[in-house]
Amino acid sequence: MQAKYGVKGLQVLAVNLDTKEADARQFLLEHPAQFGVAFDSTGGTPRSYGIKGMPTSYLIDRQGRILMEHSGFTSSSKDALERAIREALEEK
């Protein structure tokens, strides 16, 4: 999605929760991400947001409002998620 919609303003940020940041960085060297990755080895982020399942995604608009929360991922949910991204990017 970052590659497809980045030019329209989408910014993807992943939060890595590995307890050993070095392991995560090694993985990213072997499998580079095409989006930003933050590291949270203490797990504070999922606690702060009350996340129950992984992965969990948030779609946040330009004003910082959460437009959508989605837990888990299946290929069948891809179209709905992409539609929500397109709609959010069209809003000014």
Side-chain angles (χ1 to χ4, degrees):
M1 293 296 115
Q2 180 66 60
K4 189 171 184 177
Y5 296 107
V7 297
K8 293 185 177 187
L10 180 68
Q11 293 183 11
V12 174
L13 175 64
V15 179
N16 182 286
L17 300 173
D18 287 331
T19 56
K20 295 181 181 176
E21 187 176 321
D23 291 347
R25 289 192 182 279
Q26 181 60 42
F27 178 84
L28 290 169
L29 284 174
E30 297 167 13
H31 309 278
Q34 303 302 313
F35 45 82
V37 179
F39 297 92
D40 178 9
S41 62
T42 64
T45 304
R47 283 192 299 277
S48 295
Y49 285 87
I51 292 174
K52 304 284 189 254
M54 297 298 273
T56 295
S57 301
Y58 289 93
L59 182 58
I60 302 170
D61 71 7
R62 289 177 172 95
Q63 289 73 39
R65 296 177 299 221
I66 295 174
L67 301 177
M68 181 178 166
E69 177 184 349
H70 182 77
S71 293
F73 183 79
T74 61
S75 57
S76 63
S77 63
K78 179 184 178 290
D79 290 340
L81 294 170
E82 187 168 356
R83 185 171 38 259
I85 290 168
R86 280 194 315 267
E87 289 172 2
L89 290 170
E90 289 171 4
E91 295 176 5
K92 295 286 179 191

